[in-house]
Amino acid sequence: MKHPMKLKALALSMILTSTSAIAGEAGEIEYEIEFKNNQFAPTELVVPADRKFELEVENEGSEEIVLSIAELGIEIAVPAGAEREAYLGPLEPGDYEFEDSLNSSRKGILRVQ
Amino acid sequence: MKKLLFASLALLPAPALALDVSSPYVKEGLMEIETKNRIDDDHRQREDDFRRHSLSLNYGFSRWWALEVVTELEKQPDSGYGLAASAIENTFQLTTRGAYWLDAGIKLNYEMAHENGEPDEMEARLMLAKNVSRMRYMANIAVKQEVGDYSNDNPTSEVRLQTRYNYNKYFSPGVEYYAELGEWSDMQGWNAQKHRFGPAFYGKLADGVAYDTGLIFGISDKAEDTVFKLNLKYEFSL
């Protein structure tokens, strides 16, 4: 009698595991870019090409920034001390420069692969 | 007398649009100074060399709401420049960018006419945007209603469409379509409406400075032959 119970438990655990993997696939991944010490961190952010994701921008500086990814038509205005988010993708693979559109010396790369 | 007045008003050129397709996105905490300019070329003398210039101040009070104050200068073909109107525009961003299949916003405007015989006007504009990798598609659907003295009771509507390819930050090509469909209660055929279509270009000139220019061609009899537009915007943090 123990064998069938173990098989049932194994089958149930396999179903639960596969279900959570599917939920993970369908759920949104979140990436974060911070602005502090007058620069973005990270300066290179790698994201997947084949799915939608949330991009959160946190501004720890003392002035407003506008994170712009011109080739994707994205501008996210973030007041000092605030966090703002946008949803991107699916995107074509490639490198997309991002910058503060108010001060383009602050920049980084969004690597889609 | 009233009939004579309305008949004479009907002979005046219709109010002309500022040529741009509005985005549903609000930039919180940013002040924008923008000038929108158009110069018309037309084979009809009473439409030719019409010019319109506007200057606006826009501030994003929150991530969902921006307020804009606009003043408009017009030059009619047979007269000099004059102050045409002032407007107050409220833009409400309704969705977080990219959260849904379409991004949406709404703009509510009140325009006060400064020319004799011109009515004030209220406008509600639905603004939609869809971003697909480097492509952006935008649509504006507006309903306008004249109010006050000299007003017409019938609402009018217009549609504006834009498709652009985000090539780089300095230069992105696109095409735009504008349709003034006329009064709801007396919708006319294609050639009695104003339909325009043409290429447009967008980009950045310097940090915080952006342009939007284009040559828009009339594609119905009532529309102007050609309209050149040049819009410039400077945005900065307060």
Side-chain angles (χ1 to χ4, degrees):
Chain A
M1 288 298 286
K2 281 183 180 175
H3 261 313
M5 285 296 284
K6 276 186 179 172
L7 279 173
K8 276 184 188 172
L10 181 64
L12 185 63
S13 68
M14 285 176 71
I15 290 167
L16 287 174
T17 308
S18 63
T19 307
S20 67
I22 291 166
E25 281 295 310
E28 277 147 5
I29 320 172
E30 187 180 314
Y31 294 92
E32 186 174 312
I33 295 176
E34 285 181 350
F35 179 76
K36 58 184 177 184
N37 303 324
N38 210 34
Q39 60 184 12
F40 290 110
T43 52
E44 182 181 312
L45 179 66
V46 181
V47 299
D50 56 347
R51 57 182 299 179
K52 184 174 173 176
F53 62 91
E54 180 180 348
L55 180 63
E56 188 171 290
V57 184
E58 184 175 355
N59 181 1
E60 294 182 11
S62 57
E63 58 189 292
E64 169 120 10
I65 59 163
V66 181
L67 185 132
S68 166
I69 312 174
E71 292 165 353
L72 301 176
I74 289 166
E75 288 189 304
I76 307 171
V78 190
E83 290 177 17
R84 295 291 179 262
E85 69 285 340
Y87 295 84
L88 283 68
L91 300 172
E92 291 169 10
D95 287 353
Y96 302 92
E97 187 175 271
F98 63 80
E99 64 179 27
D100 176 7
S101 72
L102 302 176
N103 181 348
S104 58
S105 65
R106 304 155 169 173
K107 57 178 70 177
I109 294 286
L110 181 72
R111 179 153 292 156
V112 181
Q113 58 187 27
Chain B
M1 185 64 191
K2 200 172 178 184
K3 278 185 181 173
L4 187 65
L5 179 63
F6 278 115
S8 61
L9 288 177
L11 293 175
L12 289 172
L17 304 175
L19 291 180
D20 73 328
V21 183
S22 303
S23 137
Y25 309 116
V26 167
K27 292 181 186 170
E28 179 184 6
L30 284 190
M31 176 68 85
E32 294 178 353
I33 301 174
E34 185 170 28
T35 174
K36 296 177 184 172
N37 306 279
R38 64 177 277 181
I39 301 173
D40 295 12
D41 179 63
D42 198 86
H43 65 282
R44 293 160 293 199
Q45 197 173 355
R46 75 185 189 95
E47 303 276 350
D48 188 38
D49 200 32
F50 170 84
R51 295 171 186 227
R52 183 185 187 280
H53 312 279
S54 73
L55 184 67
S56 66
L57 281 178
N58 179 310
Y59 183 72
F61 281 94
S62 76
R63 61 200 298 192
W64 311 115
W65 172 52
L67 182 67
E68 187 169 5
V69 180
V70 187
T71 186
E72 299 168 355
L73 203 64
E74 279 184 3
K75 178 192 171 297
Q76 297 293 346
D78 52 358
S79 60
Y81 277 103
L83 188 62
S86 301
I88 295 175
E89 305 186 351
N90 284 280
T91 299
F92 300 95
Q93 182 174 333
L94 301 178
T95 58
T96 300
R97 191 197 185 287
Y100 304 99
W101 191 79
L102 267 181
D103 297 334
I106 194 161
K107 189 180 267 195
L108 303 174
N109 304 343
Y110 188 90
E111 185 177 282
M112 291 152 283
H114 296 311
E115 291 180 333
N116 284 334
E118 289 289 332
D120 291 356
E121 190 174 74
M122 292 194 302
E123 179 189 312
R125 176 183 300 265
L126 176 66
M127 303 169 296
L128 303 169
K130 174 73 178 170
N131 299 283
V132 181
S133 209
R134 284 176 169 236
M135 297 297 298
R136 172 178 284 186
Y137 307 93
M138 292 205 297
N140 291 177
I141 302 158
V143 178
K144 297 179 175 185
Q145 175 63 62
E146 294 178 356
V147 291
D149 294 342
Y150 312 109
S151 62
N152 182 331
D153 289 340
N154 297 317
T156 60
S157 55
E158 63 174 67
V159 174
R160 303 178 181 195
L161 304 173
Q162 181 196 93
T163 297
R164 78 162 79 169
Y165 176 74
N166 292 309
Y167 182 66
N168 64 32
K169 68 179 178 181
Y170 301 111
F171 180 78
S172 292
V175 289
E176 295 182 349
Y177 166 75
Y178 297 87
E180 288 179 71
L181 303 173
E183 294 176 14
W184 288 8
S185 61
D186 186 24
M187 199 73 83
Q188 304 286 314
W190 176 272
N191 279 320
Q193 299 173 335
K194 287 189 174 180
H195 295 269
R196 313 175 183 93
F197 179 81
F201 307 94
Y202 323 91
K204 187 173 168 178
L205 298 171
D207 285 354
V209 182
Y211 70 88
D212 165 358
T213 188
L215 201 56
I216 310 298
F217 301 98
I219 53 173
S220 66
D221 287 350
K222 193 175 178 185
E224 312 78 11
D225 292 345
T226 314
V227 180
F228 169 72
K229 70 158 186 169
L230 176 62
N231 303 333
L232 295 168
K233 183 165 67 178
Y234 174 54
E235 61 186 25
F236 55 96
S237 169
L238 281 184

